[in-house]
Amino acid sequence: MKQIIIDPRLKYNYASWYLLGIKRLLKGWKIVYEVSPFKGIKYENTADYNSGFAFIISNKGQEKKVFVDTEDVAKIFEDRYEWCDVYGMVNPTTEQVAEYDKLIAIGPEFGVTLGSRFSTIISCLKLFFKGCKYSGISFKGYLRDYLYTNIRRRPIEAYECETKVRHNYIFHASTLWYNKFAATDTNMYRGEFLKACKKAGINIEGGLFYVNGESVLKEMPDYPKYKEEYKDFIYESRLSMDDYIRKTKESVVVFNTPSVCECHGWKLAEYLCMGKAIISTPLTREMPATLEHEKHVHFVNSVDEIYDAVVKINSDEDYRKQLEEGAREYYKKWIAPEVVIWRLLEKVSEQV
């Protein structure tokens, strides 16, 4: 019997992408959630919980172990690596891909809604009680994580459906983060993108989300500078997720840059899935295959190049459509949930 055994101790909003891939690809397979084959993997704290999740492929009397590392930081969890036959990793460095034989770069993902709120709560209860004896994570933590996929995420079909692009219009919504890399890179590039759009006379909606709180100021005392520096683009209330998706899809161009841990942000996967014309700074983590400049994405290497890229894409419809088609093509070939699962199984088959 073909079956896949999944460790129930998973961070659901990060695992949802792969659970969807399993559902799409492995039709007819028996899917079982059971903690006993995974007792050797520890889930004692939040760091363990954030590391990713494990599953076992059972087919024709053979079992192969897979671990999916969804952590933002480029860290190999050595105990998980030793346990598995294949180690799928969202954010590996070039050096890690070369050094670790069992590792495969699987690219970015994003959380998706997999069912109704009621069915999500039922799943949460079932999986929590299956794994709670071997986990230090509280039920409150589990429940919050599961419900996030219904409250702040949407089914993948909402991203994949076609929407007409509005000329001379962009919608951008991202968080102003509060660590050193964010200050020198993530926040700065996002802010400069919005400034470039304003300079180009493009209609702008959304902006940069300003995070209030004492913990933010402890981490980054000069954080309030953003209220003045990006005063034209600041917002302080959460935006509607439905508006975020619809308006992003209507945008003539979108912007990507590595997120706070120099990782692939969810936005990159969202933009590829939507088939958007993407302007991006260079990536700092490995992708499954090269994202080609002017084919899949328009890369910029400095702040000065952002304005020219914005103007070119906004004024050249053929070029914009070329980038849109390239992004969607890359998504379907390398990033779609079922494709990621297929690539992991392909890697597994090499171990037989």
Side-chain angles (χ1 to χ4, degrees), residues 48-310:
D48 290 341
Y49 184 56
N50 291 344
S51 66
F53 75 103
F55 62 91
I56 295 172
I57 299 293
S58 178
N59 187 19
K60 297 179 181 178
Q62 289 191 328
E63 289 190 344
K64 290 293 180 179
K65 302 172 183 177
V66 180
F67 188 81
V68 178
D69 179 338
T70 57
E71 176 60 82
D72 291 340
V73 178
K75 170 187 175 182
I76 303 291
F77 293 87
E78 296 292 348
D79 60 332
R80 282 124 167 90
Y81 186 84
E82 289 302 318
W83 172 85
C84 72
D85 296 299
V86 172
Y87 192 91
M89 190 171 180
V90 172
N91 283 298
T93 62
T94 303
E95 293 75 18
Q96 287 168 333
V97 171
E99 181 181 352
Y100 290 86
D101 294 337
K102 295 188 288 187
L103 189 152
I104 177 173
I106 56 178
E109 42 84 39
F110 58 92
V112 291
T113 302
L114 296 180
S116 68
R117 189 169 300 190
F118 177 75
S119 66
T120 299
I121 292 172
I122 296 301
S123 294
C124 177
L125 286 166
K126 287 180 178 178
L127 298 194
F128 176 76
F129 285 113
K130 282 193 172 187
C132 63
K133 289 183 180 180
Y134 303 95
S135 171
I137 308 302
S138 69
F139 177 69
K140 183 179 178 181
Y142 258 75
L143 184 60
R144 184 189 300 117
D145 178 46
Y146 275 71
L147 288 179
Y148 182 85
T149 64
N150 291 96
I151 297 169
R152 293 298 301 169
R153 307 309 300 170
R154 293 295 180 268
I156 198 168
E157 290 78 12
Y159 297 84
E160 292 179 328
C161 65
E162 291 188 18
T163 301
K164 186 176 180 180
V165 171
R166 293 165 58 182
H167 176 66
N168 209 51
Y169 168 82
I170 72 109
F171 174 83
H172 177 89
S174 59
T175 300
L176 286 166
W177 295 108
Y178 37 92
N179 68 2
K180 185 177 180 181
F181 183 78
T184 59
D185 289 77
T186 308
N187 295 343
M188 184 271 291
Y189 279 120
R190 287 171 174 173
E192 291 301 324
F193 167 69
L194 290 171
K195 288 179 182 179
C197 290
K198 182 179 179 181
K199 179 182 176 182
I202 295 177
N203 298 317
I204 301 171
E205 276 198 84
L208 302 168
F209 179 66
Y210 185 91
V211 183
N212 288 292
E214 292 184 8
S215 60
V216 175
L217 297 177
K218 287 180 181 179
E219 184 77 20
M220 188 177 178
D222 64 343
Y223 187 79
K225 69 182 180 180
Y226 290 129
K227 280 202 170 180
E228 177 59 30
E229 187 172 352
Y230 302 128
K231 60 185 177 182
D232 295 332
F233 313 116
I234 295 290
Y235 66 95
E236 298 182 61
S237 297
R238 289 291 181 185
L239 302 174
S240 157
M241 193 62 195
D242 296 316
D243 283 348
Y244 167 79
I245 296 172
R246 176 176 57 82
K247 292 180 178 182
T248 300
K249 292 173 71 175
E250 290 175 346
S251 296
V252 72
V253 63
V254 295
F255 185 76
N256 175 71
T257 193
S259 196
V260 284
C261 300
E262 302 183 52
C263 64
H264 297 313
W266 281 10
K267 283 185 176 3
L268 179 55
E270 288 178 331
Y271 295 158
L272 292 168
C273 178
M274 292 176 180
K276 297 305 301 173
I278 305 167
I279 295 173
S280 180
T281 60
L283 305 180
T284 50
R285 299 288 181 260
E286 281 295 292
M287 292 287 282
T290 302
L291 273 173
E292 295 182 36
H293 176 55
E294 297 187 336
K295 179 179 180 181
H296 305 120
V297 64
H298 184 107
F299 280 112
V300 292
N301 295 296
S302 68
V303 167
D304 295 337
E305 294 179 11
I306 296 176
Y307 174 77
D308 291 339
V310 166

Side-chain angles (χ1 to χ4, degrees), residues 15-57:
S16 59
W17 188 256
Y18 310 100
L19 298 179
L20 176 61
I22 289 168
K23 181 181 177 181
R24 282 181 165 184
L25 183 70
L26 304 182
K27 295 176 181 178
W29 284 51
K30 184 178 180 181
I31 300 174
V32 178
Y33 289 89
E34 179 58 60
V35 75
S36 56
F38 308 96
K39 288 179 183 178
I41 304 176
K42 295 186 182 299
Y43 280 87
E44 298 175 341
N45 52 43
T46 302
D48 290 341
Y49 184 56
N50 291 344
S51 66
F53 75 103
F55 62 91
I56 295 172
I57 299 293

